[in-house]
Amino acid sequence: MKNLLLAGLLVPVLALASEGMDGVPVGGIVLNNTDRIALKKQVIGISRTLVSADYELLNESASELEETITFPLPEYPARQEGSTYYGEPSNLMITVDGKPAKFKTVMTAKYKDASVTAQLRKLGLTDAQIAYNPAFGVELAFNPLTPNQELMLGKQNLWTKNAAGVAGPAWTVQISYVWKQKFAPKSTVRVHHVYRPFVTTGAATWDVQGDFTTKYCADKAFMGAWKKAKAKAGNNNVEGKQVHYLLKNGNAWKNGIEDFTLNVTKLEAGELVSLCFPGNVRKPEAKTFQFHQTNFRPKQDLDVYFGNMGEAKIKNNSGVMPSLIR
């Protein structure tokens, strides 16, 4: 992976480990069978408030095919624990050839890596009760658990107390949106998705993390840009936001991603941007950095750092209640 140098625009990520949030990467679609379907083209757009992806999927065979397409959400705990992210990234929209994808939800509750979904349903828990987390910030659209349900869950070690002594669910939730997609012979299906990303952030006092050189390709130029930004900020801080995207699943395709484009966009002219990515960069627009690869087989997932003077004018997004269509 080559270092990416955008002089004066890239700086190292700065974070306070005790108060920062762990990055939660979200990716894109996954096919159950990539032997007969080729990913001819993929275009990803990333800013600190929006992630979009466009796919062109070609049926290379002379026969009509039906394949399963999955959009997996990050696994999350059913009990709110400290600073982390939960559920579905907000403003999610998935379309197929310009029309909303008619997906169904596959939900698995896990405890110690084993499925406990059937156990929870046997105790009378609805899908909403299983998937719910207080971090979603919505009113309960279902009845709370009964004392007897909590008692029975406790006997199965599925209702426990955390370090603060607060009792709650001990399981995690893995949700995927899944649909069957038909591919006509030698035809292309276009899938588009867009959402507001989970954004990693930190506190107001920043220290350079030791692993930045590897993760964000820091060098002397980056440090110089950071020092200039800090001097300009004065008593304020250069607030860091990071967006994470699962990219390595592109290796599953038979020929990799045959035509790949990444657009990283600043929201403000003075915003600092840093990432590692192979190849050269061009600027099709004043605030956009563009990277292009052919027959691309990603060796690592994507981490993008955005830095702003003082407050970045963005609220942290912890996700929303997933769709539970079965």
Side-chain angles (χ1 to χ4, degrees):
M1 186 67 66
K2 297 180 181 178
N3 282 4
L4 168 64
L5 176 58
L6 304 178
L9 294 171
L10 295 113
V11 299
V13 63
L14 304 162
L16 185 64
S18 62
E19 294 188 38
M21 289 185 177
D22 292 334
V24 178
V26 184
I29 61 172
V30 179
L31 259 71
N32 67 322
N33 186 344
T34 58
D35 292 335
R36 300 178 294 179
I37 304 296
L39 179 48
K40 301 299 290 186
K41 187 175 183 178
Q42 182 179 11
V43 179
I44 296 177
I46 292 180
S47 73
R48 56 185 159 88
T49 59
L50 189 72
V51 168
S52 66
D54 290 276
Y55 306 79
E56 293 186 8
L57 309 176
L58 175 65
N59 175 6
E60 296 183 317
S61 76
S63 303
E64 181 178 86
L65 302 175
E66 184 177 76
E67 303 291 352
T68 300
I69 298 181
T70 302
F71 186 95
L73 301 181
E75 186 174 341
Y76 64 91
R79 172 168 50 198
Q80 188 171 358
E81 296 284 1
S83 298
T84 189
Y85 297 106
Y86 304 89
E88 173 190 308
S90 63
N91 301 329
L92 173 66
M93 179 178 66
I94 308 172
T95 62
V96 179
D97 290 333
K99 299 179 181 179
K102 296 181 180 180
F103 59 76
K104 294 183 178 181
T105 300
V106 176
M107 180 185 70
T108 303
K110 299 179 183 179
Y111 178 69
K112 294 185 177 180
D113 295 326
S115 175
V116 293
T117 314
Q119 291 174 245
L120 297 175
R121 287 174 176 160
K122 189 175 181 179
L123 290 173
L125 275 70
T126 65
D127 286 357
Q129 287 174 313
I130 295 171
Y132 180 76
N133 185 288
F136 296 146
V138 297
E139 294 183 5
L140 293 180
F142 49 88
N143 295 326
L145 300 184
T146 66
N148 184 60
Q149 284 176 320
E150 292 183 8
L151 177 64
M152 297 303 295
L153 287 169
K155 290 182 178 180
Q156 299 179 41
N157 295 319
L158 296 176
W159 192 266
T160 59
K161 291 184 178 181
N162 61 12
V166 179
W171 61 87
T172 61
V173 182
Q174 174 66 66
I175 286 179
S176 295
Y177 299 147
V178 181
W179 70 95
K180 296 287 187 180
Q181 182 64 50
K182 290 185 177 180
F183 294 84
K186 303 293 184 181
S187 71
T188 298
V189 171
R190 291 172 172 82
V191 180
H192 168 79
H193 68 69
V194 62
Y195 54 82
R196 181 177 175 179
F198 294 132
V199 178
T200 307
T201 188
T205 303
W206 304 87
D207 296 315
V208 177
Q209 287 184 339
D211 64 349
F212 178 79
T213 300
T214 301
K215 192 170 185 178
Y216 293 93
C217 295
D219 59 15
K220 290 182 180 180
F222 297 145
M223 295 306 301
W226 158 251
K227 291 178 181 178
K228 290 180 181 179
K230 178 60 179 174
K232 185 176 180 180
N235 293 329
N236 296 318
N237 294 285
V238 179
E239 182 173 295
K241 306 286 185 182
Q242 298 97 47
V243 175
H244 313 276
Y245 190 90
L246 293 173
L247 198 58
K248 287 191 294 186
N249 54 19
N251 287 316
W253 302 90
K254 181 172 59 176
N255 298 317
I257 307 171
E258 296 186 26
D259 187 321
F260 178 82
T261 300
L262 169 65
N263 295 308
V264 179
T265 301
K266 303 190 300 179
L267 299 186
E268 302 169 16
E271 190 165 39
L272 305 168
V273 180
S274 178
L275 71 155
C276 297
F277 200 85
N280 298 320
V281 59
R282 59 183 296 266
K283 290 189 68 177
E285 298 177 359
K287 297 179 183 179
T288 299
F289 305 102
Q290 187 176 86
F291 311 85
H292 183 260
Q293 291 284 325
T294 57
N295 298 321
F296 182 44
R297 295 187 180 275
K299 295 182 179 179
Q300 65 185 55
D301 293 322
L302 191 61
D303 300 290
V304 185
Y305 167 79
F306 298 93
N308 287 270
M309 308 299 176
E311 182 62 38
K313 300 177 182 178
I314 174 178
K315 293 182 179 179
N316 295 322
N317 173 41
S318 59
V320 299
M321 183 77 172
S323 170
L324 297 175
I325 304 170
R326 279 210 275 169

